[in-house]
Amino acid sequence: RKEVEQDPGPFNVPEGATVAFNCTYSNSASQSFFWYRQDCRKEPKLLMSVYSSGNEDGRFTAQLNRASQYISLLIRDSKLSDSATYLCGNTDKLIFGTGTRLQVFP
Amino acid sequence: DTGVSQDPRHKITKRGQNVTFRCDPISEHNRLYWYRQTLGQGPEFLTYFQNEAQLEKSRLLSDRFSAERPKGSFSTLEIQRTEQGDSAMYLCASSLPRGGLNTEAFFGQGTRLTVV
């Protein structure tokens, strides 16, 4: 089993929609995680970190569920500019999932 | 520019040739990571360093791949006897963990390798 797994998508949503991605992890010792955003043919950039208390930044909310070993990312009021691939990774080894592709349409 | 830099940005090589890539991390960062990424996939972990020590190497990495970070600053990734399947983007990232945990890792723009 891969250490971090994601649904590759794509998720196609209209502008203004709320969309949620999940990421599951296999190593119960992992304490915290990242969500990175990667635009086409660009390097990944940090979106937010996720600790036990979760994290919220504007339209983005990330939660960590240790009992079920998954991390979620919620995007509210989707914008066209949110179209990208969202990578989930653990903070200890920086192991990433395959990424979830989001496409927001007008 | 004080970010992570990688050189070259693009490399085209013939099958069977050796190639070497360089990564210069953010200067105070003691951790350095190498990844390989193909289209539609996330970054696949290859190896990482804490200062000059190579702490982990992916089991998926064949013996043709080797990485060094001799002085704990820049790092090189060498691929010997390249194969067409090695064609990918090679990403480098660096970080400065606090309390053993990474708070953020910064990526370079990558080296795109094409093996013909």
Side-chain angles (χ1 to χ4, degrees):
Chain A
R1 184 183 170 187
K2 290 186 177 180
E3 197 157 337
V4 179
E5 294 194 80
Q6 297 182 251
D7 179 347
F11 285 63
N12 296 307
V13 302
E15 270 187 293
T18 295
V19 62
F21 312 135
N22 279 347
C23 167
T24 59
Y25 63 95
S26 60
N27 184 357
S28 58
S30 294
Q31 297 182 40
S32 54
F33 297 83
F34 293 129
W35 281 103
Y36 273 74
R37 171 191 168 129
Q38 187 173 26
D39 293 296
C40 189
R41 297 190 176 275
K42 299 283 189 181
E43 73 274 22
K45 294 190 177 176
L46 182 68
L47 179 65
M48 59 196 335
S49 303
V50 193
Y51 301 98
S52 57
S53 56
N55 199 355
E56 183 171 335
D57 183 5
R59 298 182 294 109
F60 298 84
T61 300
Q63 296 285 341
L64 170 59
N65 184 316
R66 290 193 189 283
S68 301
Q69 293 187 202
Y70 74 85
I71 310 99
S72 62
L73 177 67
L74 183 77
I75 305 175
R76 290 180 295 276
D77 188 23
S78 298
K79 312 290 185 191
L80 295 176
S81 58
D82 294 333
S83 298
T85 296
Y86 292 83
L87 299 165
C88 169
N90 58 27
T91 58
D92 42 357
K93 291 187 187 178
L94 283 186
I95 303 291
F96 289 93
T98 56
T100 297
R101 193 155 61 92
L102 172 65
Q103 184 68 48
V104 181
F105 58 88
Chain B
D1 186 351
T2 56
V4 179
S5 63
Q6 293 187 243
D7 184 70
R9 295 287 308 278
H10 303 274
K11 177 72 178 178
I12 300 174
T13 191
K14 290 184 178 179
R15 191 173 51 187
Q17 297 294 305
N18 299 344
V19 294
T20 300
F21 310 141
R22 177 179 170 127
C23 172
D24 286 89
I26 293 172
S27 59
E28 66 268 23
H29 284 187
N30 55 10
R31 279 208 191 161
L32 187 149
Y33 300 80
W34 284 101
Y35 299 88
R36 176 172 60 194
Q37 188 173 30
T38 53
L39 198 62
Q41 300 296 313
E44 176 190 11
F45 171 82
L46 296 179
T47 189
Y48 88 96
F49 293 84
Q50 174 93 10
N51 300 310
E52 65 275 10
Q54 188 173 18
L55 294 189
E56 190 162 335
K57 188 174 174 180
S58 169
R59 289 191 299 272
L60 301 174
L61 211 58
S62 78
D63 291 341
R64 296 184 298 105
F65 287 71
S66 62
E68 293 183 341
R69 194 183 183 198
K71 297 181 180 179
S73 56
F74 74 91
S75 175
T76 57
L77 177 69
E78 181 183 18
I79 309 174
Q80 296 181 325
R81 304 181 303 281
T82 52
E83 301 172 356
Q84 287 188 317
D86 296 332
S87 296
M89 176 72 85
Y90 290 83
L91 291 165
C92 173
S94 73
S95 69
L96 180 65
R98 301 192 190 282
L101 286 180
N102 289 299
T103 52
E104 182 172 359
F106 294 84
F107 283 83
Q109 292 182 300
T111 294
R112 183 169 295 282
L113 173 67
T114 303
V115 182
V116 297

